[in-house]
């Protein structure tokens, strides 16, 4: 519905009751539960307002077919981008859509950031209802990472970038931290200290040391050959069974937590298993068993159990740390059929015999103080190189100054000029009804998308001149602040 010359609005109230009924009948539609309560209490029960879905103040976007002055605004055109990309035909009902489209829509789960949960749990479902299209099975809104207890902000200088972390902690190290430290519903926390500590504790100690010690002992005691286990005493069997039960329980828990989108809980299950395997080494003392030929059969079983535990851990960490999992498989020299998630993961083939390769550390231990010093250098704001031009010695009288026609102008569009690393091309609304084009050599100071919609000041009565073959009608005022 057209509410003014400037915009069209979508009647959200018409579908509010229908959406509320849908949420009630599909309790898992919005997760976590806290997000569902936020949507229901703060928006649906409070009463929906009509949503503006078009603009006339800029030209980029999808043109409204029945009104060429308007383009559709972000939340409506974003949905059409998604569904048309997989073959949606607007002239057909859902039942008439292609099999390819119905294969991909509706989505099983739509994962979003919590800051845009309102758009994806109210706006998009209502748009889909208006088209008689099925809704996604679930919309899951994940929380944020804060810097310590504070929200990250460029202005505060507390933003941490994943690519910079990866240079220090590897991609898998960053993945591990992000997935293990992000809670299911509440915000996660990240600081350089916690990343280093998590890296040294989980990856170096619990996983890396277990892997390296096991391969070293396998080489020392059995020339790298992993053979079938031998039945031991009742007490020994109890230790073995406890380790096996822990591994099998970890497998079940990881699958269950992943199905419920509780990623951090799934990761924790894996590292609980690794901690139990490390404890198993202390309980069985392989270095003592190796001193006697009589205890060599027991040592063989202990090493088989350790290799199996690590093999199973590698399978379970594959979605979280794929490169690390591959290194473990390759150094263990696990047969191809034993690298996949199956119904009975532990001891998939108890009689399988394979030979490990030379063990190399998975992760280097980090010096906390040294790493902190290097990382803190990244957060120091770089001082830009400034070129200060000398002040003009020529005085300008007031009458000459008054000849310049200063106008407030709105930036309708802004883009880089091809083959120029200095120029930005502005399309401006100067109030005359005719777009004004000005080129300005400020590309190294501003990103074009940051300027769209801004109000600037321009001198509009300078004679037109061509720059890079394009006419520029005026000059924008800008300055560098030290």
């Amino acid at each position: 519905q057209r509410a003014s010359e400037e915009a069209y609005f979508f009647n959200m109230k018409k579908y509010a009751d229908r959406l509320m009924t849908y949420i009630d009948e599909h309790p898992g539609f919005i997760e976590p539960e806290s997000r569902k309560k936020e949507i229901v209490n703060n928006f649906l029960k409070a009463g929906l307002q009509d949503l503006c879905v078009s603009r006339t103040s800029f030209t980029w976007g999808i043109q409204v077919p029945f009104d060429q002055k308007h383009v559709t605004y972000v939340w409506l055109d974003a949905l059409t981008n998604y569904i048309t990309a997989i073959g949606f035909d607007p002239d057909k009902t859902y039942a008439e859509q292609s099999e390819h489209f119905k294969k991909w829509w509706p989505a099983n789960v739509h994962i979003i950031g919590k800051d845009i949960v309102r758009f994806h749990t109210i706006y998009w479902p209502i748009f889909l209802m208006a088209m008689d299209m099925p809704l996604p099975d679930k919309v899951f809104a994940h929380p944020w990472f804060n810097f310590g207890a504070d929200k990250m902000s460029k202005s505060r200088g507390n933003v941490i970038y994943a690519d910079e972390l990866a240079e220090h902690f590897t991609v898998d190290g960053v993945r591990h931290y992000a997935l293990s430290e992000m809670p299911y519903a509440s915000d996660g926390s990240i600081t350089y200290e916690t990343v280093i500590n998590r890296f040294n504790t989980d990856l170096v100690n619990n996983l890396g040391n277990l892997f390296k010690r096991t391969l070293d002992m396998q080489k020392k005691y059995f020339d790298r050959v992993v053979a079938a286990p031998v039945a031991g005493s009742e007490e020994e069997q109890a230790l073995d069974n406890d380790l096996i039960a822990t591994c099998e329980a970890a497998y079940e828990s990881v699958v269950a937590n992943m199905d419920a989108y509780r990623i951090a809980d799934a990761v924790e299950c894996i590292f609980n298993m690794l901690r139990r395997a490390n404890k198993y080494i202390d309980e069985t003392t392989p270095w003592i068993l190796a001193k006697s030929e009589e205890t060599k059969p027991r040592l063989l079983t202990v090493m088989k159990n350790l290799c199996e535990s690590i093999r199973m851990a590698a399978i379970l960490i594959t979605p979280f740390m794929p490169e690390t999992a591959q290194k473990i498989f390759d150094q263990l020299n696990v047969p191809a059929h034993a690298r996949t998630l199956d119904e009975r993961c532990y001891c998939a083939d108890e009689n399988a015999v394979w030979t490990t390769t030379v063990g190399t550390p998975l992760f280097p231990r980090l010096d906390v103080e040294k790493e902190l010093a290097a990382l803190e250098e990244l957060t120091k704001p770089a001082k830009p190189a400034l070129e200060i031009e000398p002040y003009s010695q020529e005085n300008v009288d007031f009458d000459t100054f008054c000849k310049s026609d200063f106008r407030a102008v709105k930036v309708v569009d802004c883009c880089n000029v091809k083959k120029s690393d200095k120029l930005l091309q502005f399309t401006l609304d100067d109030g005359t009804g005719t777009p004004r084009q000005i080129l300005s050599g400020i590309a190294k100071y501003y990103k074009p998308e940051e300027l769209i919609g801004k109000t600037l000041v321009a001198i509009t009565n300078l004679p037109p001149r061509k720059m890079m073959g394009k006419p520029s009608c005026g000059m924008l005022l800008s300055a560098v602040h030290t």
Side-chain angles (χ1 to χ4, degrees):
Q1 60 187 23
R2 184 170 174 176
S4 67
E5 289 293 323
E6 287 75 29
Y8 284 91
F9 287 76
F10 194 97
N11 185 353
M12 308 298 286
K13 303 183 191 71
K14 179 178 178 180
Y15 297 89
D17 291 343
R18 182 175 166 185
L19 179 58
M20 181 71 84
T21 300
Y22 185 89
I23 292 173
D24 289 340
E25 293 176 351
H26 299 79
F29 176 56
I30 303 174
E31 289 187 355
E33 184 69 19
S34 57
R35 305 282 176 260
K36 175 181 174 181
K37 291 179 179 178
E38 173 190 338
I39 290 301
V40 171
N41 295 331
N42 295 351
F43 297 100
L44 290 175
K45 288 184 177 179
L48 292 180
Q49 302 298 314
D50 289 346
L51 177 68
C52 178
V53 293
S54 79
R55 288 289 191 274
T56 58
S57 57
F58 49 82
T59 56
W60 53 267
I62 301 175
Q63 194 174 79
V64 175
F66 48 82
D67 192 334
Q68 295 186 356
K69 293 181 180 179
H70 291 253
V71 293
T72 54
Y73 194 47
V74 60
W75 297 112
L76 181 57
D77 71 359
L79 175 61
T80 60
N81 284 341
Y82 274 93
I83 60 177
T84 55
I86 53 176
F88 174 70
D89 186 338
D91 296 323
K92 295 180 180 179
T93 66
Y94 180 74
E96 297 169 336
Q97 297 294 327
S98 68
E99 291 304 315
H100 174 81
F101 177 79
K102 286 188 281 189
K103 174 185 176 182
W104 297 107
W105 192 272
N108 299 98
V109 59
H110 188 167
I111 299 179
I112 58 170
K114 72 171 187 176
D115 52 328
I116 54 174
V117 63
R118 171 165 50 106
F119 307 109
H120 293 271
T121 57
I122 296 179
Y123 298 169
W124 279 23
I126 285 180
F127 294 155
L128 291 166
M129 286 178 173
M131 295 190 291
D132 289 325
M133 291 273 287
L135 276 56
D137 294 345
K138 185 187 300 295
V139 179
F140 183 84
H142 65 75
W144 288 334
F145 261 124
N146 292 325
F147 185 83
D150 299 325
K151 183 178 177 181
M152 287 194 197
S153 168
K154 287 184 179 181
S155 60
R156 294 181 184 178
N158 64 353
V159 175
I160 292 180
Y161 294 96
D163 53 350
E164 293 176 349
L165 285 180
E167 292 178 6
H168 291 257
F169 306 104
T170 73
V171 172
D172 274 10
V174 177
R175 288 166 66 106
H176 172 66
Y177 185 91
L179 295 172
S180 60
E181 286 286 339
M182 178 65 80
Y184 175 72
S186 57
D187 287 343
S189 175
I190 183 171
T191 63
Y192 291 129
E193 292 93 334
T194 56
V195 176
I196 295 170
N197 289 334
R198 171 72 78 167
F199 185 93
N200 279 341
T201 301
D202 279 359
L203 302 185
V204 177
N205 291 348
N206 292 330
L207 175 57
N209 280 357
L210 171 66
F211 180 62
K212 184 68 165 60
R213 289 173 72 190
T214 299
L215 286 193
D216 287 348
M217 288 189 293
Q218 194 69 46
K219 175 186 176 183
K220 182 176 181 180
Y221 303 142
F222 295 105
D223 197 24
R224 305 192 186 115
V225 176
V226 181
V230 178
S233 68
E234 187 174 330
E235 182 180 358
E236 291 169 344
Q237 196 65 47
L239 279 177
D240 298 344
N241 288 341
D242 187 62
L243 175 63
I244 293 170
T246 301
C247 292
E248 291 180 336
Y251 163 65
E252 298 292 341
S253 296
V254 168
V255 172
N257 280 304
M258 291 297 287
D259 286 345
Y261 309 103
R262 293 183 175 272
I263 313 300
D265 294 336
V267 175
E268 182 62 18
C269 292
I270 300 169
F271 279 83
N272 280 337
M273 182 184 75
L274 292 170
R275 284 187 279 270
R276 180 65 189 89
N278 276 302
K279 183 181 177 183
Y280 179 77
I281 293 179
D282 296 333
E283 294 169 335
T284 57
T285 58
W287 51 91
I288 295 178
L289 296 174
K291 292 180 179 180
S292 169
E293 286 299 320
E294 293 181 0
T295 53
K296 273 294 183 75
R298 175 59 184 160
L299 177 60
L300 183 148
T301 300
V302 168
M303 296 310 302
K304 169 72 172 180
N305 286 336
L306 287 171
C307 287
E308 283 289 352
S309 300
I310 295 170
R311 179 185 71 85
M312 187 168 176
I315 291 171
L316 295 177
I317 68 170
T318 297
F320 312 104
M321 296 187 289
E323 292 182 9
T324 302
Q326 190 62 46
K327 289 178 182 178
I328 293 173
F329 286 138
D330 290 346
Q331 292 188 46
L332 270 181
N333 203 19
V334 175
H337 72 273
R339 300 185 180 198
T340 59
L341 195 64
D342 52 37
E343 292 183 3
R344 187 171 180 268
C345 201
Y346 191 88
C347 291
D349 184 353
E350 291 185 354
N351 296 317
V353 177
W354 71 83
T355 303
T356 65
T357 61
V358 178
T360 57
L362 296 174
F363 299 97
R365 178 170 297 279
L366 301 178
D367 182 292
V368 177
E369 292 185 3
K370 182 179 178 181
E371 286 297 324
L372 276 178
L375 289 164
E376 285 171 358
E377 284 295 317
L378 299 176
T379 61
K380 291 182 179 180
K383 294 182 179 179
L386 297 176
E387 297 179 6
I388 307 299
E389 295 184 3
Y391 287 105
S392 173
Q393 299 301 311
E394 181 182 354
N395 292 322
V396 178
D397 60 56
F398 185 69
D399 289 338
T400 301
F401 169 77
C402 289
K403 292 178 182 178
S404 298
D405 189 353
F406 294 92
R407 300 274 174 160
V409 293
K410 179 80 73 174
V411 180
V412 176
D413 194 13
C414 183
C415 61
N416 293 101
V417 175
K418 291 182 179 179
K419 299 182 180 180
S420 173
D421 56 0
K422 296 181 179 180
L423 291 176
L424 293 181
Q425 177 179 315
F426 290 83
T427 303
L428 306 165
D429 179 0
D430 61 4
T432 63
T434 301
R436 176 182 292 270
Q437 177 171 291
I438 292 180
L439 276 66
S440 182
I442 56 175
K444 68 177 180 178
Y445 300 108
Y446 300 98
K447 294 181 179 179
E449 59 270 20
E450 295 174 345
L451 296 169
I452 296 173
K454 299 284 187 183
T455 299
L456 310 179
V457 175
I459 302 175
T460 58
N461 63 336
L462 291 175
R465 58 173 293 196
K466 282 197 172 184
M467 305 169 72
M468 298 294 291
K470 296 176 178 288
S472 180
C473 303
M475 178 181 291
L476 292 172
L477 299 191
S478 61
V480 176
H481 179 55
T482 59

